Amino acid sequence: MKFLRILPLVLLTILASCSNNEEPAVDELYGLSKIKEITNTTHTIELYKHMGGLEQGYNEIALKIKDNTTNQYIKNATVTWTPVMHMAMMNHSCPKSPVTKVSTDGLVYEGYIVFQMAQNATEYWDLKIDYTINGTSYTMTSVIDVPASAKQRVTTFTGSDGVRYIAAYVDPHHPKVGVNDMVAGVWKMQDMMTFPVVDNYKLKIDPRMPSMGNHSSPNNVDLVQTVAGDLYNGKLSLTMTGYWKINLQLLNAAGTVLKGETITDAVPASSIYFEIEF
């Protein structure tokens, strides 16, 4: 997963390499907006995201770490993060990726977090960021704003194997009429704080327009992994603009359906699905 932020190659030959206080030749924050700052006595962490703030579902998040004394950005940190949902009776985390550098000499770190639940009046998310710079460890924790998504972009369910799964819509961000590259993720709950990627499964899709006779579309391709530990890729065919329900079935490596139903006249929608409207 990389954000699309590459400038013309001519800039790379003109601009010199950067110090901690300079912007890199490649715009690592192209298309992203700052959504939050978290501060301790030593550093300020700036959080960035595409298309506005955090929301329930899959979130690609970038960050920069600024030294509060020198105002320079740190390029040699090692970063981990832990999102936690605080509920009345328990706390739990959610699927998340490692935090990696966008580029070796750059200033931006990135990863993803999948918030399977939205905040409400009494339950909330916070984000703990641990980082090490030149052998010294630091930490910050802040409450973060995670409202409900306007459409269903994440679904949590128990499979027929008794495992708790989370599936999340990733892409396309901007769907179009035609065949779209589609990306989604599948994780399982190992325990309340651990949600590893599920490998070598299949996420079958059947997009339907409920308001238009529940018609489907041709040339869809079910989602599979190309690399273990990564997201799932396929093709999503959308024949017109409007509201679409992307009905899902999750199959294990043996081809057994763990959750979700085949769409028929008697079964107009699956119990697990994503929603988009454009």
Side-chain angles (χ1 to χ4, degrees), residues 64-77:
K64 296 173 73 175
I65 305 171
K66 184 173 68 176
D67 187 298
N68 291 338
T69 301
T70 65
N71 284 326
Q72 293 183 342
Y73 289 98
I74 307 300
K75 66 170 58 177
N76 63 338

Side-chain angles (χ1 to χ4, degrees), residues 206-223:
D206 187 348
R208 299 279 177 152
M209 292 197 82
S211 66
M212 301 292 291
N214 213 38
H215 72 72
S216 187
S217 59
N219 304 317
N220 293 286
V221 177
D222 296 330
L223 279 62

Side-chain angles (χ1 to χ4, degrees), residues 195-239:
F195 296 78
V197 170
V198 172
D199 287 326
N200 200 29
Y201 280 27
K202 177 183 285 188
L203 196 61
K204 296 187 69 173
I205 60 171
D206 187 348
R208 299 279 177 152
M209 292 197 82
S211 66
M212 301 292 291
N214 213 38
H215 72 72
S216 187
S217 59
N219 304 317
N220 293 286
V221 177
D222 296 330
L223 279 62
V224 295
Q225 280 181 318
T226 56
V227 178
D230 209 344
L231 300 174
Y232 285 62
N233 295 268
K235 300 289 184 180
L236 172 65
S237 175
L238 303 171
T239 55

